[in-house]
Amino acid sequence: MARTTHPGACPLDCPDTCVWQLTVSDGRAVALRGDRDHPFTRGALCGKVNRYLDAVNGPDRLTTPYVRTGPKGAGRVAYRPASWAEAVDRVAAGLRASIERDGPEAVLPYYFAGTMGHVQGWTMGQRLFAHLGASRLDTTICTGAARAALRSIYGSSIGFEPESIVAAKLIVLWGANPLATNLHLWPFVQQARERGAYLVTIDPLRTDTAARSDEHLAPLPGTDAALALGLMRHVRDAGAADEEWLAAHTVGWPELSARLDEWPVERAAAECGLPVEALRRLGDRIATTRPTAVRVGLGLQRHHGAGQAIRAICALPLVTGDFRYPGGGALVSTSGHHPIEEDRVVRPPGMPAPPARSVNMSRLATVLTGEADPPVTSLVVFNANPAATAPDQNRLLAGLRRADLFTVVLEQRWTDTCDYADVVLPATMQPEHLDLHSSYGHHYTTLNLPVTRAPGEALPNTEIFRRIAAALGVDHPRFSDTDEDLARQLLAGTPVSFEELRERTYARTTGVPVGAAPFAAGGFRTPDGRARLHDPALARLGVDPLPGHTPPVEAADPELARRFPLVLLAPAGRFLMNSTFASLPWHTRRTGPPRVHLHPDDAAERGLADGDAVRVHNDRGAFLAAVAVDEATRPGLAFTYKAYWARLSPGRSTVNAVTAVRDTDLGEAPTFHDCRVEVEPVPAELLTPEPPADAATVPAPAPPADAAAVPAG
């Protein structure tokens, strides 16, 4: 049978946004590899996506709508298949009942980065809910603190051009683990090292990236701002502040310089739990090395002081003037460089969109258990699995079990969140629908076209929301826009057209040339083009207008430390993409069962050995895991990988049973890493997870396809 090969884009929540080549036979995807010609991703796929076809072709794909017939939380046995007509009518009736009883703000859409595609992720669903006047979702759960910090200091989520990092002489990976979460940056880093660059990783954990670096600094969690302030003080005292560039392209340097008087390296080192000499040594390198590139990861923003920490880190290359040079400066996200504006597509001219309240997605547990007025009585979840990924899991599940909460879930396979839905609607995957992707890690935009058949009756998100709109009697012509129409609307105002992308698949759309120093002469996205080391707008919000150190809440609490002596981090692993692959056999075998990693001193103090079963707990809840005795962490600091599903985990619980609903200092983002716990031994048999209640009705997963059928690229 003839095979054809088609380009497309990886849709997952990763800065790399890979372009791939998909081989199709008889409407079915049979092989996948990276596109070797792509300038950034260069033909490689990560360990997660190499087996993406296991997900696309899996026997557990949802192929028909389901409606609930039994109790919430009981699993798939509490559901029966339904026709699309019946399912959509039920959805419309549930939404209509909430609107008639409590007003449109009682309806809450909940979505995030299950797909990063603009068309399937961020257009038609949001357009429908905006038109209805439903509550608007404040999408804080990943980058809320970083967005707020970058908006304050640079005016937008912008930074150095990532491919130019090859020109850097010093690279600081701050809270970044690219070997797990930004793989395609690593070859550029390696190229810089071949040219003589020195690589430093700053991370509380000895990650794979840290182990391969020239130097690793492991500060206490939540002390990044103190470290940045101490380094800036050292640079200033060494006479290495670029006074000319600071005067021309920033505001607030005199005030920040005065703040640095309070932060000698001795104080910073004590706050961070690091040797003074380690700070001095890195400070000397930064003071004397141009250009220095600071690549900032997203994990460090998951503690209470995250906003100020990112402001302080991003101030460091302003003080040194590193933005003068290609390969110099700081980068958290490239998203602000991309010209696609979703809001004008969500709320197009001429389509009514009443004002509505904003609901912080990170507070979903409290929103569903009494915080909201009016109460949320209809929840529509798409591109998200909050039962697995949102904080304060026990309280969240209590909210999802409410008898008066009508919940709709659009999904590709049966997740934790599906267990609490009233209606589950089958959604397509990337090879089966049209989408448009920009990136938060490079400067290219990619078009993805449908090239395979969807399984059964699965539909794209966009079509599902068109059908819901029709069932609600919404007849505005903007709900007849096709996916191609939406893509064209998103591209309006960008340097490329839909036709160009259909021909070329991807294009550089940001206007920043490869190897450029885009802010050498200022031009930040602030009203006057200057970076703001002092931001008066923050003072009006009750936030320090200067970069400063906001200590973590739980990690710095000595009273809490007596009861729960371990600070717990939940980083990303190499084989799970948030919760997307956590039910797939190949991915879960590579990841292994849930483990809590303890320093040998902490394990010995508790009489624990490698492999022992433990209960990890605090006042909010608990989860079960095996001990991994590991010198990758420091005494008093434990870690476990995120993204497991509760329905497939021992004790039906995950790390989010212990995380808190608490906001960061800027951006109202969650504080997953600002968490204290204790561990205690439990019988080993508790680590064997009970099969889901629906196991008998769900097809057993097929063995992974032969590796040769899914080349690594």
Side-chain angles (χ1 to χ4, degrees), residues 119-120 432-436 447-450 483-484 487 498:
V119 175
Q120 301 302 331
E432 302 151 8
H433 56 228
L434 183 148
D435 221 328
L436 185 70
L447 179 66
N448 182 87
L449 295 174
D483 288 2
E484 183 175 321
F498 184 85

Side-chain angles (χ1 to χ4, degrees), residues 471-533:
L472 286 168
V474 175
D475 59 359
H476 194 280
R478 289 278 66 86
F479 292 100
S480 298
D481 286 347
T482 66
D483 288 2
E484 183 175 321
D485 293 335
L486 294 169
R488 290 178 182 278
Q489 292 163 22
L490 288 160
L491 289 168
T494 74
V496 297
S497 67
F498 184 85
E499 285 75 19
E500 289 174 283
L501 285 179
R502 184 162 52 191
E503 177 69 24
R504 296 158 46 196
T505 304
Y506 59 86
R508 197 172 177 90
T509 56
T510 65
V512 178
V514 174
F519 307 106
F524 294 94
R525 302 288 176 82
T526 57
D528 60 2
R530 293 169 175 254
R532 290 182 290 224
L533 296 169

Side-chain angles (χ1 to χ4, degrees), residues 278-487:
L279 266 71
R280 289 200 178 107
R281 185 169 59 247
L282 180 56
D284 286 340
R285 286 190 184 278
I286 294 172
T288 58
T289 310
R290 308 275 77 77
T292 289
V294 183
R295 181 65 167 104
V296 186
L298 298 178
L300 66 84
Q301 68 175 309
R302 314 214 193 285
H303 60 83
H304 179 58
Q308 285 287 48
I310 292 174
R311 289 184 72 218
I313 295 166
C314 290
L316 179 56
L318 298 174
V319 173
T320 58
D322 272 295
F323 277 108
R324 285 183 185 266
Y325 314 103
L331 175 65
V332 182
S333 169
T334 62
S335 58
H337 289 281
H338 289 274
I340 290 175
E341 296 179 19
E342 290 163 344
D343 192 64
R344 69 170 180 236
V345 180
V346 169
R347 299 172 182 83
M351 191 194 81
R357 67 178 175 185
S358 180
V359 172
N360 185 341
M361 70 183 303
S362 300
R363 299 186 198 137
L364 185 62
T366 56
V367 167
L368 294 183
T369 54
E371 182 183 272
D373 183 18
V376 170
T377 55
S378 281
L379 179 70
V380 182
V381 179
F382 55 105
N383 302 331
N385 182 13
T389 60
D392 204 351
Q393 188 175 77
N394 291 337
R395 187 156 46 148
L396 173 62
L397 297 184
L400 290 173
R401 287 191 185 96
R402 280 172 34 206
D404 67 329
L405 178 67
F406 178 74
T407 301
V408 182
V409 176
L410 284 62
E411 255 304 348
Q412 299 159 346
R413 48 190 19 89
W414 201 275
T415 66
D416 287 353
T417 307
C418 292
D419 282 348
Y420 301 89
D422 293 279
V423 180
V424 178
L425 303 174
T428 49
M429 292 189 71
Q430 188 75 344
E432 302 151 8
H433 56 228
L434 183 148
D435 221 328
L436 185 70
H437 293 262
S438 53
S439 168
Y440 62 93
H442 59 65
H443 288 242
Y444 301 90
T445 295
T446 308
L447 179 66
N448 182 87
L449 295 174
V451 294
T452 64
R453 291 190 302 268
E457 300 175 57
L459 294 173
N461 288 349
T462 47
E463 177 59 21
I464 293 173
F465 285 117
R466 290 186 194 102
R467 294 188 181 194
I468 293 171
L472 286 168
V474 175
D475 59 359
H476 194 280
R478 289 278 66 86
F479 292 100
S480 298
D481 286 347
T482 66
D483 288 2
E484 183 175 321
D485 293 335
L486 294 169

